[in-house]
C-alpha cells in the first residue's frame, strides 16, 4: 500500500520561499513589496506593516518640542537590533554621541500583563484550520524568526541600547554642520547605498538612513534651497534602487512655502509631529486621556509601491503617549463625553442613531 502524501498548496510554497529569502527585520507586504519596521509597533500597524524598502520618509518637525527625535531613536534602534547597516547624519558636532541615547528593546506591553500563549510561541497567530498550510519553523506575521528577533520591538526609552549593538554594526555617523555644501553628504549616501543593491530574489540585509534636521540654521548650506531639493531628489532615486529606507526630518518653518510643498511632494511617506501645551484646558475637555499625551502625529501620505490604489486610513491624527514614561505608543483620538457624563461620546459612536442626544442629523 502506497504511503499517504502530505497535501500542500502553492500558497504555502510561495510564502515559505519568500519568507526564507528575507533577512531579519523584514517581512513580505502587499503587491510584492518588502517591509521594514519603523521601530514603533503602533506606527507599523497604521502604515499597513511598516516602511516599504526603497521608500523615502520625511518627518516635519515641531519647533516647540523635539518629538521627531523619538521617531528617529526607535527607527535607528530597530535597525541596530536586526544588525542592519545604519547611516546617521546630524547637524550636531558629535553625532556619534547620539547613539548613546538610543533605547533598548524590551518585552511587549501584552507580555507584561499576561503570560505568553503556547500557540503564539510555536506557530502563527492565525485561525487553527490554516495551520496545516504552514510549517512550524516558518516566519510568523509578527516577523519573529525562531523566537530570536521580533519584526517590531517595544523599546524602553529609559534604558540605553547595549554597547555591542552599536560597536559591532556597520554604523556611519556624519556631521553636516560645517559642510560648505551637500556634496560630502551625497557621497556618503552613495557609498552607503552602493553596498545594498536591489535584489528582489533574495534580500538578506537592508539598510537605514537617518538624516536629522536637514535644513537646520546651524548648517552652512541652510539657505541653499535649490541645492537641498536637488539632494532630496537624488537621494530618493538612489534609495528606490536599493534595499534601504531613508528618513529625513526637517523644520518646515525655516523653508519658504513653495519649497516646503516641494519637499513634501518628494516624500513617499510624509509624517508630522506637534507638541501640545500642558495648560490647554479646551483640548483637555475635548479629548479623553489628554493628561497622558505629549503630542500628536499626523500621517499626510502613505507610500504606494507597485500599485496605484490609494491608501485610505481610518484616521490621520494620532496621540503620542509614553506608557509608564518608557514606551512610545500611538492611539486614535477619542472625544471626551459631553458635559462630563459617562455615556458614549459623539466621536466614538458606532452608528448614526446611538447617540444619547437627538439632533437634526439623526435618522
Amino acid at each position: 500500500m502506497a504511503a499517504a502524501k502530505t497535501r500542500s498548496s502553492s500558497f504555502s510554497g510561495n510564502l515559505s520561499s519568500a519568507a526564507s529569502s528575507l533577512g531579519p527585520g523584514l517581512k513580505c507586504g502587499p503587491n510584492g513589496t518588502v517591509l521594514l519596521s519603523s521601530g514603533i509597533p503602533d506606527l507599523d500597524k497604521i502604515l499597513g506593516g511598516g516602511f516599504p524598502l526603497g521608500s523615502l520618509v520625511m518627518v516635519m518637525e515641531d519647533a516647540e518640542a523635539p518629538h521627531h527625535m523619538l521617531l528617529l531613536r526607535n527607527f535607528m534602534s530597530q535597525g541596530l537590533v536586526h544588525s542592519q547597516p545604519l547611516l546617521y547624519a546630524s547637524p550636531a558636532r558629535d553625532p556619534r554621541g547620539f547613539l548613546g541615547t538610543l533605547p533598548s528593546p524590551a518585552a511587549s506591553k501584552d507580555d507584561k500583563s499576561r503570560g505568553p500563549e503556547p500557540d503564539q510561541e510555536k506557530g502563527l497567530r492565525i485561525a487553527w484550520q490554516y495551520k496545516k498550510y504552514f510549517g512550524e519553523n516558518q516566519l510568523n506575521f509578527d516577523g519573529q524568526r525562531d523566537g530570536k528577533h521580533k519584526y517590531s520591538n517595544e523599546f524602553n526609552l529609559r534604558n540605553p541600547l547595549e554597547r555591542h549593538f552599536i560597536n559591532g554594526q556597520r554604523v556611519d555617523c556624519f556631521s553636516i554642520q560645517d559642510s560648505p555644501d551637500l556634496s560630502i553628504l551625497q557621497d556618503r549616501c552613495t557609498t552607503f547605498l552602493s553596498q545594498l543593491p536591489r535584489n528582489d530574489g533574495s534580500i538578506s540585509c537592508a539598510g537605514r538612513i537617518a538624516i536629522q534636521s536637514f535644513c537646520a540654521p546651524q548648517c552652512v548650506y541652510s539657505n541653499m534651497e535649490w541645492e537641498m531639493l536637488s539632494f532630496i531628489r537624488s537621494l530618493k532615486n538612489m534609495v528606490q534602487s536599493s534595499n534601504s529606507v531613508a528618513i529625513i526630518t526637517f523644520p518646515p518653518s525655516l523653508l519658504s512655502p513653495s519649497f516646503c510643498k516641494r519637499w513634501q511632494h518628494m516624500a513617499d511617506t510624509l509624517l508630522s509631529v506637534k507638541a501640545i501645551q500642558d495648560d490647554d484646558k479646551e483640548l483637555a475637555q475635548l479629548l479623553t486621556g489628554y493628561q497622558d499625551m505629549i503630542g500628536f502625529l499626523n500621517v499626510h501620505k502613505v507610500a504606494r509601491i507597485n500599485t496605484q490604489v490609494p491608501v485610505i486610513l481610518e484616521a490621520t491624527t494620532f496621540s503620542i503617549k509614553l506608557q509608564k514614561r518608557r514606551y512610545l505608543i500611538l492611539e486614535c483620538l477619542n472625544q471626551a463625553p459631553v458635559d462630563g457624563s459617562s455615556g458614549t461620546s459623539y466621536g466614538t459612536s458606532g452608528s448614526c442613531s446611538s447617540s444619547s442626544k437627538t439632533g437634526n442629523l439623526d435618522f
Side-chain angles (χ1 to χ4, degrees), residues 315-346:
T316 57
T317 303
F318 301 87
S319 63
I320 304 176
K321 296 182 179 180
L322 291 179
Q323 187 183 45
K324 299 181 179 179
R325 299 184 179 181
R326 289 182 173 90
Y327 308 101
L328 183 64
I329 61 175
L330 304 176
E331 292 182 353
C332 293
L333 299 181
N334 294 320
Q335 183 177 349
V338 180
D339 298 331
S341 62
S342 59
T344 303
S345 64
Y346 295 119

Side-chain angles (χ1 to χ4, degrees), residues 180-182 220-229 263:
D181 52 35
L182 293 168
V220 179
Y221 60 82
S222 59
N223 58 345
M224 304 177 181
E225 292 187 329
W226 281 109
E227 287 77 3
M228 290 188 291
L229 179 63
W263 285 32

Side-chain angles (χ1 to χ4, degrees), residues 300-319:
H300 303 275
K301 186 193 300 185
V302 180
R304 295 181 297 172
I305 308 296
N306 301 335
T307 181
Q308 294 182 349
V309 179
V311 179
I312 301 177
L313 302 177
E314 296 182 358
T316 57
T317 303
F318 301 87
S319 63

Side-chain angles (χ1 to χ4, degrees), residues 119-137:
D119 292 340
Q120 293 181 355
E121 293 180 351
K122 296 176 60 178
L124 301 174
R125 299 178 184 177
I126 56 176
W128 64 269
Q129 58 265 38
Y130 293 105
K131 279 190 176 182
K132 58 186 177 183
Y133 296 112
F134 303 92
E136 291 293 333
N137 296 325

Side-chain angles (χ1 to χ4, degrees), residues 235-249:
L235 178 62
K236 180 176 181 178
N237 292 334
M238 291 188 296
V239 170
Q240 285 179 345
S241 58
S242 67
N243 292 324
S244 63
V245 172
I247 286 187
I248 298 179
T249 69

Side-chain angles (χ1 to χ4, degrees), residues 157-184:
L157 299 177
R158 288 193 170 186
N159 291 343
L161 190 65
E162 296 181 6
R163 284 292 179 180
H164 70 88
F165 285 115
I166 301 175
N167 298 331
Q169 311 299 328
R170 291 179 288 174
V171 181
D172 186 11
C173 297
F174 175 66
S175 177
I176 57 178
Q177 181 174 352
D178 298 329
S179 299
D181 52 35
L182 293 168
S183 59
I184 300 178

Side-chain angles (χ1 to χ4, degrees), residues 25-26 34-38 44 50-51 53 75 84 151 206-208 245:
L26 301 172
V34 178
L35 301 177
L36 178 146
S37 175
S38 65
D44 290 341
F51 299 136
L53 286 187
F75 175 77
Q84 296 170 347
Y151 169 73
R208 298 174 183 239
V245 172

Side-chain angles (χ1 to χ4, degrees), residues 58-62 249-250 252 260 264 270-273 300:
M58 302 195 73
V59 181
M60 293 185 287
E61 304 174 5
D62 184 13
T249 69
F250 67 97
C260 185
Q264 297 176 31
L270 180 63
L271 310 173
S272 67
V273 291
H300 303 275

